[in-house]
């Protein structure tokens, strides 16, 4: 039989007040925002009305009264899935991940059938809680900590290339960048490395980009291949540029960005010294006028600057790349043409084809990273990524989910790289909320493991 709470008992919401002075006496109109709960003694209004009122407060952002009412529901209906679920969500919003995971695990135990929203909330709690204690790798794959990590490497410390210098093809896909493409091309002319060819395809620009390119190419100190045609899209144009390239190495340059003078020389020496097939350098951020952006001057640049610094944190870069694209941009990539062929080129993504390329390259080896800032990445109003952050986010999740399911047949790597890729793919499925591929049981195992850590 359902127990009725005495009016003089301590209120089960934990406020310290008597029930008659707290949840048993408060009368707040449904839908009205307040710091107190709606009058919702469950024995009077019933479960459905109590949950409805709690949800109203919750959706308004009034978390404390929602917390209290959900707590009352559990007093009358122990093990109620929806109350446990929502208590877990609210404690996560309040930053108490130990309580959040405890309630969510209780909810999982009370209802074993699939619930997509619940599984996504449990995944979110796992990801956020794990960051509090060093990340998924540290907690669940401690043997990988310190493996595959990145140490600073500067061009001044790299040996010169012995023997014949390899040809480097700088490929520049161009689309509607009449204001920037001349500066981009001139930055290639200014390279200290002598053995370069330039490949440019204009992807059906509607502005004066073609005219600007044709005017400047007469000044080129290097051989040039230039084509103009109808619009086919970024990844198609990029692949066609690389297909035309004759060099052993390929350096991509976005037509609105620019190289620093020592970039190509530094990247050739880096890949030669490390015997790697791909890599990238540090990045500086510039505005529409080409002025360098300092920390604190641009919110998006701040996020990039702070995030990219984590590359030197000691965690495996293979796993870290799932959470952040350390290369920042397609134009910062430098790789062998042979690697591009073996990967099948750049994939058909509008916003994240560079990130996808990096993840697929990581299946073979980790990148070489030049600590010098050798690439200027321009932030302006018509960056592709600025078109729609929502579409970009959705494509990112699709890409991570697809990469997390990729078949590794035909790729021969050592045991350590296999383990790194396994860890990274687990993380990719979590990051993309591919809960149907992870499975409820695996989520429960991860949550239980995190509860053993100090989450407060």
């Amino acid at each position: 039989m359902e127990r009725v709470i005495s009016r003089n008992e301590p209120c089960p919401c934990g406020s310290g007040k008597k029930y008659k002075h707290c949840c048993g006496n408060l009368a707040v109109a449904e839908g009205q925002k307040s710091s107190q709960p709606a009058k919702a003694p469950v024995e009077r209004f019933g479960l459905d009305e109590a949950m409805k009122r709690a949800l109203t407060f919750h959706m308004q952002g009034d978390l404390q009264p929602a917390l209290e009412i959900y707590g009352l529901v559990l007093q009358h209906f122990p093990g109620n899935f929806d109350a446990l679920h929502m208590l877990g969500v609210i404690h996560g919003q309040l930053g108490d991940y130990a309580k959040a995971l405890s309630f969510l695990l209780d909810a999982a135990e009370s209802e074993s059938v699939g619930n997509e929203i619940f599984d996504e909330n449990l995944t979110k709690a796992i990801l956020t809680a794990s960051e509090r204690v060093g990340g998924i790798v540290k907690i669940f794959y401690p043997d990988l900590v310190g493996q595959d990590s990145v140490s600073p490497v500067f061009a001044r410390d790299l040996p010169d290339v012995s023997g014949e210098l390899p040809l480097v093809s700088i490929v520049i896909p161009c689309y509607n960048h009449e204001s920037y493409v001349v500066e981009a091309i001139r930055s290639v002319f200014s390279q200290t490395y002598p053995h370069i060819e330039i490949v440019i395809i204009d992807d059906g620009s509607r502005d004066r980009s073609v005219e600007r390119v044709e005017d400047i190419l007469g000044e080129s100190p290097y051989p040039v291949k230039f084509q103009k045609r109808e619009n086919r899209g970024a990844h198609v144009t990029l692949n066609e540029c690389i297909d035309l390239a004759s060099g052993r190495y390929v350096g991509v340059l976005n037509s609105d960005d620019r190289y620093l003078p020592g970039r190509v020389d530094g990247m050739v020496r880096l890949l030669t010294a490390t015997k790697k097939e791909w890599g990238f350098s540090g990045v500086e951020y510039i505005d529409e006028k080409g002025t360098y952006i300092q920390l604190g001057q641009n919110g998006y640049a701040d996020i990039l600057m702070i995030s990219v610094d984590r590359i030197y944190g000691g965690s495996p870069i293979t796993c870290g790349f799932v959470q952040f694209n350390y290369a920042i941009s397609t134009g910062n990539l430098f790789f062998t043409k042979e690697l591009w062929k073996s990967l099948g080129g750049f994939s058909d993504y509008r916003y994240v084809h560079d990130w996808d390329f990096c993840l697929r390259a990581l299946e073979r080896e980790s990148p070489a990273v030049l600590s010098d800032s050798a690439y200027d990445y321009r932030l302006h109003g018509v960056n592709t990524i600025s078109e729609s952050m929502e579409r970009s986010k959705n494509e990112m999740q699709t890409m991570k989910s697809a990469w997390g399911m990729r078949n590794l047949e035909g790729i021969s790597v050592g045991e350590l790289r296999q383990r790194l890729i396994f860890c990274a793919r687990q993380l990719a499925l979590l990051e993309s909320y591919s809960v149907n591929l992870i499975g409820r049981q695996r989520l429960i195992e991860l949550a239980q493991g995190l509860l053993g850590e100090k989450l407060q």
Side-chain angles (χ1 to χ4, degrees):
M1 182 176 177
E2 190 176 295
R3 187 180 77 86
V4 177
I5 303 171
S6 167
R7 287 170 54 76
N8 288 312
E9 283 186 42
C11 187
C13 74
S15 67
K17 300 178 182 179
K18 291 183 178 181
Y19 181 62
K20 65 181 180 181
H21 296 312
C22 191
C23 295
N25 189 49
L26 297 167
V28 179
E30 182 182 335
Q32 177 183 344
K33 192 173 177 71
S34 166
S35 61
Q36 297 291 344
K39 183 179 181 182
V42 182
E43 71 275 12
R44 178 177 177 185
F45 292 108
L47 174 63
D48 290 344
E49 179 65 18
M51 292 297 293
K52 182 179 178 181
R53 293 184 180 216
L55 185 60
T56 297
F57 283 111
H58 194 174
M59 292 179 68
Q60 290 174 338
D62 236 349
L63 301 185
Q64 191 58 40
L67 199 69
E68 293 168 2
I69 297 173
Y70 288 133
L72 277 173
V73 169
L74 287 183
Q75 289 286 323
H76 292 273
F77 300 94
N80 179 273
F81 171 80
D82 291 323
L84 289 167
H85 178 190
M86 290 299 100
L87 283 168
V89 170
I90 291 177
H91 280 296
Q93 290 175 282
L94 294 172
D96 189 340
Y97 288 100
K99 285 186 178 179
L101 290 172
S102 292
F103 278 115
L104 291 170
L105 284 171
D106 287 344
E109 184 176 344
S110 73
E111 183 173 303
S112 59
V113 298
N115 184 306
E116 186 175 343
I117 294 175
F118 171 78
D119 288 340
E120 288 182 1
N121 285 330
L122 179 55
T123 301
K124 183 176 181 179
I126 289 168
L127 286 169
T128 311
S130 66
E131 289 303 310
R132 294 285 188 91
V133 287
I136 292 287
V137 177
K138 178 181 176 182
I139 303 305
F140 298 104
Y141 304 93
D143 58 308
L144 296 181
V145 176
Q147 304 280 359
D148 195 41
S149 58
V150 176
S151 299
V153 175
F154 295 93
R156 64 174 180 266
D157 301 321
L158 293 168
D160 292 332
V161 177
S162 59
E164 184 178 354
L165 294 177
L167 177 64
V168 177
S169 299
I170 305 302
V171 301
I172 309 176
C174 179
Y175 181 67
N176 287 348
H177 281 154
E178 63 177 357
S179 299
Y180 312 118
V181 66
V182 170
E183 187 176 9
I185 294 171
R186 285 193 187 280
S187 75
V188 183
F189 295 171
S190 301
Q191 290 302 299
T192 58
Y193 189 81
H195 201 26
I196 288 174
E197 71 166 5
I198 302 174
V199 180
I200 305 174
I201 295 179
D202 183 84
D203 187 30
S205 293
R206 296 188 300 271
D207 61 6
R208 299 176 62 195
S209 292
V210 170
E211 180 182 337
R212 298 289 171 83
V213 171
E214 290 176 335
D215 287 345
I216 192 66
L217 288 185
E219 303 176 19
S220 178
Y222 307 115
V224 176
K225 299 172 183 176
F226 175 51
Q227 294 183 1
K228 51 188 175 182
R229 52 155 175 74
E230 76 286 353
N231 181 264
R232 297 179 188 170
H235 86 283
V236 173
T237 304
L238 180 55
N239 284 329
E240 288 181 2
C241 279
I242 299 170
D243 193 50
L244 291 172
S246 304
R248 176 184 174 189
Y249 293 113
V250 174
V252 183
L253 173 58
N254 296 333
S255 56
D256 54 344
D257 297 337
R258 66 193 183 195
Y259 282 172
L260 274 71
R263 174 178 175 79
V264 175
D265 179 70
M267 292 305 302
V268 171
R269 287 194 285 142
L270 176 70
L271 265 62
T272 301
T274 59
K275 296 181 171 56
K276 298 277 190 178
E277 288 197 273
W278 74 291
F280 51 88
S281 74
V283 173
E284 294 286 351
Y285 305 90
I286 57 176
D287 62 18
E288 294 180 351
K289 297 179 180 179
T291 303
Y292 285 103
I293 299 171
Q294 305 302 320
L295 188 66
Q297 295 180 336
N298 180 293
Y300 182 52
D302 288 351
I303 293 172
L304 297 178
M305 291 179 200
I306 294 169
S307 298
V308 80
D309 281 347
R310 296 174 185 164
I311 197 172
Y312 300 111
S315 295
I317 188 172
T318 299
C319 301
F321 240 111
V322 171
Q323 298 176 293
F324 182 75
N325 179 10
Y326 290 117
I328 300 296
S329 172
T330 315
N332 193 26
L333 295 176
F334 196 91
F335 47 85
T336 65
K337 185 170 180 179
E338 188 59 37
L339 175 66
W340 170 80
K341 286 181 180 178
S342 69
L343 296 180
F346 286 83
S347 298
D348 184 12
Y349 290 112
R350 177 165 180 76
Y351 304 103
V352 296
H353 54 264
D354 54 337
W355 199 348
D356 169 75
F357 184 89
C358 293
L359 290 177
R360 289 184 290 123
L362 280 162
E363 294 170 353
R364 288 159 170 78
E365 64 177 19
S366 56
V369 181
L370 186 67
S371 299
D372 302 85
S373 295
Y375 191 85
D376 286 345
Y377 179 56
R378 193 184 305 268
L379 299 177
H380 55 85
V382 291
N383 285 103
T384 301
I385 197 69
S386 68
E387 291 177 351
S388 170
M389 293 304 291
E390 186 64 26
R391 288 200 298 269
S392 173
K393 180 181 177 181
N394 290 340
E395 187 177 87
M396 175 190 68
Q397 291 190 341
T398 298
M399 178 269 295
K400 288 183 180 182
S401 179
W403 184 76
M405 295 185 295
R406 270 173 57 83
N407 192 327
L408 280 178
E409 282 186 17
I411 301 176
S412 178
V413 294
E415 183 178 344
L416 174 60
R417 180 131 303 272
Q418 288 181 22
R419 185 155 172 74
L420 286 165
I421 293 170
F422 176 81
C423 172
R425 289 193 164 169
Q426 291 282 296
L427 190 53
L429 293 176
L430 285 169
E431 289 268 335
S432 60
Y433 292 88
S434 302
V435 292
N436 59 318
L437 301 173
I438 303 168
R440 171 76 67 83
Q441 186 56 42
R442 179 56 177 160
L443 292 176
I444 290 172
E445 291 169 1
L446 292 171
Q448 289 171 335
L450 283 168
L451 277 178
E453 304 297 322
K454 294 179 181 179
L455 292 174
Q456 261 72 7

